[in-house]
Amino acid sequence: MAGGGKCTPTPKAIIHQKFGAKASYRVEEVHDSSQSGCPGLVIPQKGPCLYRCHLELPDFSVVSNVFKKKKDSEQSAAELALEKLGIRPQNDDLTVDEAWAEIVGRIKYIFSDEFLSAEHPLGAHLRAVLRRDGDCCGSVPVSVIATFDAKINSRCKIINPSVESDPSLVISYVIKAAAKLSDYIVASPDESSLRRKSPYPSEIVEALATHVSDSLLSREVAAVFIPCLGEEVVELDTLYISSDRHYLDSIAERLSLKSGNQVMISRTFGKASCGSECRLYSAIPNKSSDKSSEVSGSSNEDSSHIEKTRNARASYICGQDIHGDAILASVGYRWKSNDLDCDDLTVKSFYRICCGMSPNGIYKISRQAVIAAQLPSSFTTKSNWRGPLPREILCMFCHQHRLAEPVFSSSNAPVESLSDIFRSHKKLKVSGVDDADNDNLSRGKEDTPGSGIRFRCEVKISTKSQDLVLECSPRKFYEKENDAIQIASLKALLWFSKFFDDLDVEQPSDTDDDEDIKSSIPIVFAAPPIIQNEHSSESKTTNVPSAEKRVQSITNGSVVSICYSLSLAVDPEYSSDGESQSASDDIESNEDIMESEVDAEYSANCEPLIELIESNEEIEFEVGTGSMNPHIESAVTQMTVGEYASFSTTPPDAAEALILAASADTVTVRSLLSEHPTLNYSILLLGVKGPSEERMEAAFFKPPLSKQRVEYALKHIRESSASTLVDFGCGSGSLLDSLLDYPTSLQTIIGVDISPKGLARAAKMLHIKLNKEDYNVKSATLYDGSILEFDSRLYDVDIGTCLEVIEHMEEDQACQFGEKVLSLFRPKLLIVSTPNFEFNTILQRSTPETQEDKTESQLPKFRNHDHKFEWTREQFNNWASKLAKVHNYSVEFSGVGGSGEVEPGFASQIAVFRREASFVENVAEGSMQPYKVIWEWKKEDRDQKRLISD
């Protein structure tokens, strides 16, 4: 199969060809605050991280512009340097014949005197083969050239794109190209080697011989032997490396091959899984058998033989067909080094690489919890997610399987206002809807009041030749673009995980109604020989709190922290065949009876054989997302902080690979696995953070309580025809932002908070919105200050709001705020909302209907771990009523979420204070101004800028 393709040398590659090590790149980080999205913001802002590159050449230097990626800044600097040199990169659109010609030229250069001393890894191989014994001296294995020369690989892809999936084709192309250099190179197709026809100059060889490292005189390297036959176990092996022979010869010896010339070298993999950069070594496939089968007509027999010799486990981890036995090793030459770099591997390394081939395994390894952790089935919030985010995992997965980078396509749509935006808050009833997968992040258009933008994301995964592998298109819209991207990534990962766990290579898995998935996955992945679905076991549990005796107070959305250990245990009472030693034959001799009694006494005195498999001093996970082994999560939800629990399960056969991937001593563990062991869990609950207030509320209320509070405030703004509004404790400006979505009489909006981070977010959001569209608002100001301090600039405003703020203070500070705002700020109307503590039992579902007695440990908790207090309806009414009476205000009580006429009342209770018209104090302007203006916007300034630009 032939094909064409572009192969354009990059500017950096051209600079390297001309200057080599004389070209020096230095990349610096640049933080552009102007890109923060909010000009005029007083708070120092660290903009997005950009990069600028300085390129030093012998005669001059250049500096690139700033870019989001380091590599782009380097290429830009190289391009500027080429412009100075008057060099234009050629856009090589090579034909197949031109690709062949370049391969021939490259091979000739590789065997030149100049390349022999090159710092390229291939140069180190060429120097090493000069130390080989006998006829192999100076003979270069073709697999070495095929593996380590990127230029030859790229040209081979032009000749045949299938090279990407079958690297062994490169070997045949190199031999074919070398045959055209018969006057210069001796090609031995049978031996799969190339040799220079004339020897290298003796002075060069002698000079190179003096640089041989003493560390290579003799060394043993631990490797992993992977037998072709699946029933044979993967075992630890030893390679004997020395300076007087090429390391491939040592590998060939273990594989029963004539020499290292016959060894096939895979691409690198495994660094993320086992910590070392590994390659797989096996015999070069014999292509001649395919040709003979075509002539003899015995293709069925040959294909059957090929299938029998295929090494399924080795093929799985390296992504290409491997036939015969294979060696997994970490040994090879690096750039700018004459030394052979070697790392010891273990059998555990192999199983971790196998585990890391699936998305589930990538997540497990990244969390350093191979058995305990598992890829979550849902994404709730970025703050609750632990480990690498779904998008990162998807990119790692694509890199692992040599797929193209995933392509994300985000789209957005406006959310229209509800026609009955002012529906009565009394009609909003509690909904008993469960917190479904990701529903708290998404809002249907019919459920969300106001206008705004919602996002959804489609992700496409393709091969490097742009053949579609998977297209995932969730239909739901989400409030944040990042959430849409992460959820689309997770959907794709879960689909891939199902493929790897279920070995379903014929039909794609069933998908939810809210997503479309298209796939051609069977042509990309080989079926894994090791099943990784480890949780299908039956368990027997001991020392775990009974669900009948204890309330499950740890609810979905809680983030828990645990310390745990997992051990494999075997009861010595049982023999290797799983039968009790007491189950002896009916007829026994006296001697047998005596031996049986001794064995029974020994068994009675022996303790169980226990081997620690995995432990973690502290790991966090979110309950209800499937991110933890279900046995662990089930136990933890029945525990209290500081409590210890232990239980055991019988691991299924499918869990063997994961157990070996987690254990340090695979020999002992394999022995225990043959004895019908139990997997013992020991867990200590270190801490619990309850589910976020927003998530709990979103599970029960549509629209969410935050939206209902905005509706409530809007109702009073319109009724009062207010023109000025101050939001006390504005945070990141969510209320001010939402108010802009509705037509109101407001002309001045003000926010006050003590959080610079929240104020910066509010400023950016308001800046974008106010400059994009025309609103009735003429000015907007954000102040950095405490709402416990009075600022005369905010005196006598039309309306003040303080929604879900006071509970974040100490209780005495909340009382202090009430005094200050009514006695000094004196707004005409003040709306204060705070959670109704009595409603928490419904939100948290912590008290079952059948339970009559409440213990102290079962009382409802606060909705947010940052809340300092939460008041009952009686406490809130007393606080508000006393303030109103003292400061000449009237007060009425209401709320949103639920009903004031049904117990336990509204979820969010609200007090509306109205100033009596007959009582107004005079406060001298400018007398007290402790607040600092950190951002200010005026409509007239914006209009002037527009006129100038026009």
Side-chain angles (χ1 to χ4, degrees):
M1 175 180 171
K6 291 184 179 180
C7 188
T8 306
T10 64
K12 190 176 178 183
I14 296 173
I15 291 293
H16 178 74
Q17 291 171 5
K18 292 190 172 292
F19 296 97
K22 294 178 182 178
S24 174
Y25 295 86
R26 179 173 62 84
V27 178
E28 64 172 333
E29 290 188 4
V30 179
H31 298 287
D32 188 359
S33 60
S34 67
Q35 298 296 318
S36 64
C38 188
L41 181 61
V42 177
I43 299 172
Q45 289 295 293
K46 184 178 179 181
C49 187
L50 304 173
Y51 300 95
R52 179 188 292 124
C53 180
H54 300 257
L55 171 57
E56 297 282 345
L57 295 176
D59 298 326
F60 63 90
S61 63
V62 294
V63 181
S64 75
N65 291 324
V66 292
F67 293 88
K68 291 183 179 180
K69 295 181 179 180
K70 289 182 181 180
K71 63 180 182 180
D72 291 340
S73 68
E74 291 176 335
Q75 293 293 353
S76 175
E79 190 173 354
L80 291 172
L82 291 177
E83 288 179 8
K84 273 199 167 189
L85 293 167
I87 300 173
R88 289 188 176 183
Q90 294 181 352
N91 187 9
D92 292 337
D93 191 2
L94 296 180
T95 65
V96 172
D97 290 339
E98 289 171 337
W100 275 114
E102 290 209 2
I103 294 174
V104 172
R106 181 64 177 174
I107 293 173
K108 186 173 182 178
Y109 172 66
I110 287 171
F111 283 90
S112 66
D113 295 346
E114 178 187 355
F115 193 81
L116 185 63
S117 57
E119 294 179 334
H120 194 286
L122 190 52
H125 278 276
L126 292 172
R127 295 187 288 273
V129 299
L130 295 176
R131 300 191 295 270
R132 297 178 81 181
D133 295 328
D135 295 338
C136 288
C137 182
S139 177
V140 181
V142 178
S143 61
V144 168
I145 298 173
T147 302
F148 294 102
D149 193 83
K151 186 171 184 178
I152 287 179
N153 265 278
S154 66
R155 300 311 187 259
C156 287
K157 290 173 186 176
I158 294 173
I159 297 169
N160 187 350
S162 297
V163 163
E164 182 68 38
S165 58
D166 186 6
S168 64
L169 290 173
V170 181
I171 293 176
S172 61
Y173 294 160
V174 171
I175 292 175
K176 184 176 179 179
K180 298 179 181 180
L181 298 167
S182 56
D183 293 338
Y184 190 69
I185 293 173
V186 177
S188 303
D190 294 339
E191 295 291 332
S192 296
S193 67
L194 302 180
R195 182 200 309 270
R196 198 167 114 149
K197 201 163 192 177
S198 59
Y200 290 100
S202 58
E203 60 271 16
I204 295 179
V205 176
E206 290 172 4
L208 292 172
T210 60
H211 293 87
V212 177
S213 174
D214 293 337
S215 64
L216 286 182
L217 292 178
S218 181
R219 181 176 177 182
E220 294 183 358
V221 180
V224 178
F225 183 76
I226 308 172
C228 173
L229 299 177
E231 57 267 22
E232 296 183 16
V233 298
V234 174
E235 59 186 5
L236 197 63
D237 208 340
T238 303
L239 301 177
Y240 298 93
I241 308 295
S242 63
S243 60
D244 60 352
R245 67 188 308 201
H246 196 278
Y247 72 89
L248 287 181
D249 293 326
S250 300
I251 293 174
E253 188 176 302
R254 182 63 184 90
L255 294 174
S256 302
L257 300 175
K258 185 178 179 181
S259 71
N261 296 343
Q262 298 175 330
V263 175
M264 179 83 173
I265 310 172
S266 78
R267 292 165 290 196
T268 57
F269 58 89
K271 190 170 186 178
S273 302
C274 65
S276 297
E277 195 172 74
C278 309
R279 292 184 188 270
L280 205 65
Y281 300 88
S282 59
I284 294 176
N286 184 4
K287 299 293 184 182
S288 61
S289 62
D290 298 336
K291 295 179 181 178
S292 62
S293 66
E294 293 176 8
V295 176
S296 63
S298 57
S299 58
N300 290 338
E301 294 179 10
D302 284 337
S303 61
S304 175
H305 171 72
I306 290 172
E307 187 59 34
K308 287 180 180 178
T309 62
R310 184 177 181 275
N311 192 322
R313 291 174 292 193
S315 300
Y316 174 60
I317 64 173
C318 78
Q320 64 190 72
D321 278 346
I322 300 296
H323 295 274
D325 299 334
I327 293 284
L328 179 67
S330 178
V331 55
Y333 293 102
R334 305 286 185 252
W335 280 91
K336 300 182 180 181
S337 175
N338 287 319
D339 293 342
L340 192 65
D341 193 11
C342 304
D343 282 329
D344 290 332
L345 298 184
T346 62
V347 174
K348 175 182 177 178
S349 304
F350 165 77
Y351 283 103
R352 287 181 75 85
I353 291 172
C354 288
C355 177
M357 297 299 290
S358 74
N360 192 20
I362 293 173
Y363 183 79
K364 286 172 173 288
I365 292 170
S366 68
R367 301 231 53 202
Q368 299 181 348
V370 173
I371 299 177
Q374 58 186 29
L375 181 67
S377 58
S378 62
F379 180 90
T380 56
T381 63
K382 184 178 178 180
S383 60
N384 277 9
W385 184 276
R386 297 297 183 268
L389 291 166
R391 181 174 183 171
E392 298 174 47
I393 300 174
L394 186 60
C395 290
M396 285 189 277
F397 175 79
C398 291
H399 176 75
Q400 184 91 305
H401 291 275
R402 295 177 180 83
L403 301 171
E405 287 288 312
V407 177
F408 298 92
S409 302
S410 296
S411 59
N412 57 61
V415 180
E416 298 177 355
S417 303
L418 291 175
S419 57
D420 55 344
I421 189 170
F422 297 116
R423 66 179 139 175
S424 171
H425 54 271
K426 293 183 178 181
K427 293 182 180 180
L428 296 174
K429 296 183 178 180
V430 176
S431 170
V433 179
D434 289 336
D435 185 11
D437 180 13
N438 303 316
D439 278 353
N440 59 301
L441 291 175
S442 66
R443 302 284 181 265
K445 293 184 180 180
E446 70 279 9
D447 294 328
T448 308
S451 62
I453 300 295
R454 299 294 180 264
F455 300 90
R456 66 179 175 187
C457 178
E458 173 187 276
V459 59
K460 288 184 180 180
I461 299 161
S462 306
T463 64
K464 290 187 176 180
S465 58
Q466 299 307 307
D467 293 322
L468 181 66
V469 176
L470 187 75
E471 180 179 349
C472 181
S473 307
R475 298 173 187 169
K476 285 185 179 179
F477 283 85
Y478 299 90
E479 292 184 359
K480 298 178 181 178
E481 183 177 13
N482 182 63
D483 289 341
I485 292 171
Q486 299 298 346
I487 290 168
S489 299
L490 183 58
K491 297 285 187 184
L493 289 169
L494 293 170
W495 198 94
F496 282 126
S497 288
K498 181 172 178 60
F499 166 77
F500 279 90
D501 290 344
D502 295 350
L503 308 184
D504 183 5
V505 296
E506 294 298 331
Q507 297 292 334
S509 61
D510 295 333
T511 59
D512 296 333
D513 292 336
D514 68 329
E515 64 189 74
D516 286 326
I517 289 186
K518 300 176 184 177
S519 172
S520 57
I521 197 168
I523 66 171
V524 180
F525 304 101
I530 299 171
I531 301 175
Q532 299 182 27
N533 184 7
E534 72 275 21
H535 300 312
S536 57
S537 60
E538 295 181 359
S539 64
K540 56 179 182 179
T541 307
T542 58
N543 299 331
V544 175
S546 170
E548 296 178 358
K549 298 179 180 179
R550 171 161 297 167
V551 175
Q552 182 175 323
S553 60
I554 300 180
T555 57
N556 289 351
S558 300
V559 176
V560 300
S561 174
I562 64 170
C563 169
Y564 75 89
S565 65
L566 304 176
S567 303
L568 211 59
V570 172
D571 190 336
E573 179 182 353
Y574 291 88
S575 62
S576 60
D577 61 0
E579 295 180 358
S580 173
Q581 292 180 2
S582 61
S584 54
D585 295 335
D586 292 337
I587 303 175
E588 296 180 305
S589 64
N590 290 334
E591 185 176 347
D592 290 336
I593 293 173
M594 291 178 63
E595 288 181 357
S596 178
E597 290 174 351
V598 171
D599 290 341
E601 183 179 354
Y602 173 77
S603 297
N605 294 328
C606 280
E607 295 182 356
L609 303 174
I610 299 176
E611 178 71 17
L612 178 66
I613 302 298
E614 180 175 287
S615 63
N616 206 312
E617 291 185 0
E618 183 176 4
I619 187 171
E620 290 185 333
F621 67 94
E622 182 181 1
V623 175
T625 61
S627 62
M628 187 58 58
N629 178 313
H631 300 308
I632 294 178
E633 180 167 314
S634 176
V636 166
T637 56
Q638 302 174 43
M639 297 168 64
T640 58
V641 175
E643 187 174 4
Y644 169 85
S646 64
F647 58 94
S648 62
T649 68
T650 302
D653 294 338
E656 180 177 334
L658 286 176
I659 292 173
L660 290 170
S663 61
D665 186 352
T666 53
V667 175
T668 301
V669 168
R670 270 184 174 151
S671 175
L672 293 176
L673 286 171
S674 67
E675 299 288 339
H676 307 284
T678 58
L679 191 59
N680 294 352
Y681 294 73
S682 297
I683 306 170
L684 175 64
L685 181 56
L686 301 175
V688 180
K689 294 179 183 177
S692 69
E693 183 178 4
E694 180 183 357
R695 183 179 178 188
M696 282 193 300
E697 292 175 353
F700 285 85
F701 301 105
K702 290 187 178 181
L705 286 184
S706 59
K707 298 294 183 183
Q708 295 185 38
R709 284 189 288 266
V710 171
E711 291 179 14
Y712 190 93
L714 276 167
K715 171 188 173 184
H716 288 279
I717 290 170
R718 287 189 165 178
E719 288 177 352
S720 63
S721 299
S723 62
T724 57
L725 178 142
V726 176
D727 188 18
F728 295 98
C730 66
S732 57
S734 58
L735 174 63
L736 299 176
D737 174 67
S738 299
L739 291 176
L740 293 176
D741 294 334
Y742 307 89
T744 67
S745 56
L746 290 174
Q747 295 185 17
T748 300
I749 57 174
I750 300 168
V752 183
D753 207 278
I754 59 173
S755 168
K757 189 174 180 181
L759 289 168
R761 283 200 295 262
K764 293 174 188 177
M765 186 164 47
L766 292 173
H767 172 81
I768 293 172
K769 217 162 189 178
L770 289 169
N771 285 289
K772 188 175 181 180
E773 297 182 22
D774 284 323
Y775 296 96
N776 190 52
V777 172
K778 294 181 179 179
S779 69
T781 309
L782 295 176
Y783 289 104
D784 180 6
S786 169
I787 61 175
L788 298 180
E789 290 184 278
F790 171 64
D791 191 296
S792 58
R793 288 170 292 186
L794 308 188
Y795 171 72
D796 192 29
V797 295
D798 291 333
I799 189 166
T801 55
C802 185
L803 307 183
E804 309 297 293
V805 174
I806 60 173
E807 64 272 10
H808 294 271
M809 308 173 177
E810 296 296 340
E811 200 164 357
D812 61 333
Q813 291 178 322
C815 295
Q816 185 182 346
F817 165 72
E819 292 286 341
K820 282 280 174 72
V821 72
L822 296 184
S823 65
L824 297 177
F825 287 100
R826 303 292 293 171
K828 295 181 178 67
L829 190 75
L830 176 67
I831 303 173
V832 179
S833 76
T834 191
N836 174 11
F837 180 72
E838 297 165 88
F839 205 91
N840 292 358
T841 54
I842 296 177
L843 287 177
Q844 297 168 349
R845 300 182 178 183
S846 59
T847 308
E849 295 179 1
T850 56
Q851 187 177 357
E852 297 179 359
D853 299 327
K854 282 187 178 180
T855 64
E856 185 176 350
S857 63
Q858 295 166 357
L859 288 175
K861 299 173 291 185
F862 295 158
R863 297 184 200 176
N864 191 312
H865 64 86
D866 189 48
H867 288 183
K868 303 298 190 295
F869 69 90
E870 288 181 4
W871 279 335
T872 62
R873 287 169 290 174
E874 182 180 359
Q875 289 172 313
F876 182 60
N877 289 5
N878 288 340
W879 171 79
S881 298
K882 289 179 181 178
L883 285 172
K885 184 177 181 179
V886 170
H887 299 291
N888 202 26
Y889 276 77
S890 65
V891 63
E892 63 183 53
F893 298 97
S894 186
V896 294
S899 170
E901 300 173 358
V902 180
E903 290 296 324
F906 294 108
S908 185
Q909 50 190 342
I910 299 176
V912 179
F913 298 86
R914 297 181 188 276
R915 192 179 70 193
E916 299 295 334
S918 61
F919 185 85
V920 180
E921 293 181 358
N922 293 320
V923 178
E925 290 189 13
S927 59
M928 302 178 69
Q929 297 185 2
Y931 293 171
K932 179 182 178 182
V933 177
I934 59 99
W935 178 80
E936 193 170 16
W937 177 89
K938 292 184 181 299
K939 189 174 184 179
E940 59 182 353
D941 293 341
R942 184 204 66 181
D943 293 342
Q944 286 179 0
K945 289 180 181 179
R946 286 181 177 178
L947 286 173
I948 294 171
S949 62
D950 292 341

